[in-house]
Amino acid sequence: MKTALRILGVTGLAMFGWVGASQAAPVTTDLAGNAGASASPPGVIFDLGGGLTMTVTGHTNDGDGSGDAPFATINDRDLHQDSEGLGVFGGGLENPDLDAGGGVAELMRFSFNKKVNLISVIFDDVANSGEEFDLSVDTVDVDVAALLGTDNIQSLPAGGVPGSDDFLADFTGDGLMGNLFDFYTDDFADDYRIRKITVEVVDSGDVPEPAALLLIGMGLAGLGIARRRRN
């Protein structure tokens, strides 16, 4: 009997630990495609499974040259999607990369319906060694260079096929959590696409299921009975 109660108690506590430690697995989205220009809004919407959706929209910002988020003004701009990923498109002959085309600084916003942790992003179509990127989370500017040691894209590790122009910004462990992630430009020399993004849903409380609560209660009760019998 004591053995059975002891097993029951351990089972209940193990179940408690298992439920409390549950985490959502990281989700990687490849943004390459052949959609061409996409109106923004609504932008491009991705169903990432498990009730998580990601909406990507294109914009311009008023931080021309040196400004950091938050911006006083953000206007809409179309997106462009092809085999190199997503960029921001001003129409006509404007370069469909995320850049400062047409004399304005561009911004690509990733909006999630749940709070997520940004794990990594892969840049593509990087034209030269001077490309830099800026990032804000929930409109608050992030010091990218302090986190990664650089904000120069070509100084980042290769993130795609060897020999390609894919570069990986790895934010693992940096705690970049929120609902809005803005990648933007603040210099006319910046020019890139976003090819892949990896996020994970932030656990919002780890509430045990009813069955788990029952096992926890039985386990704790079993431990209490066993202690009284020993006394």
Side-chain angles (χ1 to χ4, degrees):
M1 181 66 177
K2 289 183 179 179
T3 300
L5 288 174
R6 187 176 297 114
I7 293 173
L8 184 58
V10 172
T11 301
L13 293 174
M15 179 63 74
F16 178 81
W18 178 80
V19 173
S22 63
Q23 296 288 336
V27 179
T28 298
T29 306
D30 192 334
L31 303 174
N34 57 3
S38 299
S40 176
V44 182
I45 301 172
F46 298 86
D47 183 350
L48 305 186
L52 178 64
T53 60
M54 176 179 75
T55 301
V56 188
T57 51
H59 308 276
T60 62
N61 66 75
D62 63 351
D64 305 328
S66 61
D68 292 327
F71 301 111
T73 303
I74 295 180
N75 295 315
D76 296 333
R77 197 155 187 162
D78 291 346
L79 292 171
H80 188 276
Q81 183 185 42
D82 60 24
S83 61
E84 294 177 309
L86 277 176
V88 179
F89 186 51
L93 299 177
E94 198 267 315
N95 190 327
D97 291 346
L98 180 56
D99 56 18
V104 293
E106 294 177 339
L107 177 150
M108 190 183 301
R109 171 164 289 177
F110 293 79
S111 304
F112 297 86
N113 66 326
K114 298 181 179 182
K115 188 175 183 180
V116 300
N117 180 31
L118 177 63
I119 303 298
S120 65
V121 62
I122 292 180
F123 300 99
D124 199 347
D125 195 33
V126 180
N128 61 66
S129 60
E131 316 291 19
E132 297 177 346
F133 76 98
D134 291 88
L135 169 66
S136 67
V137 178
D138 289 340
T139 73
V140 177
D141 189 68
V142 173
D143 189 345
V144 173
L147 295 180
L148 303 181
T150 181
D151 57 3
N152 185 303
I153 296 176
Q154 287 195 333
S155 297
L156 298 171
V161 177
S164 71
D165 57 353
D166 292 357
F167 299 91
L168 171 68
D170 186 350
F171 296 106
T172 302
D174 289 327
L176 298 183
M177 295 179 287
N179 294 89
L180 299 178
F181 297 83
D182 294 339
F183 291 86
Y184 63 93
T185 58
D186 64 1
D187 190 286
F188 292 151
D190 300 333
D191 194 301
Y192 56 89
R193 306 279 183 96
I194 296 183
R195 173 60 186 264
K196 291 184 180 181
I197 187 169
T198 300
V199 301
E200 62 182 356
V201 174
V202 176
D203 211 329
S204 58
D206 297 320
V207 179
E209 296 292 331
L213 286 172
L214 178 61
L215 280 175
I216 293 167
M218 292 172 64
L220 293 174
L223 289 175
I225 293 171
R227 177 172 296 178
R228 285 198 298 273
R229 288 189 174 184
R230 285 197 300 271
N231 295 333

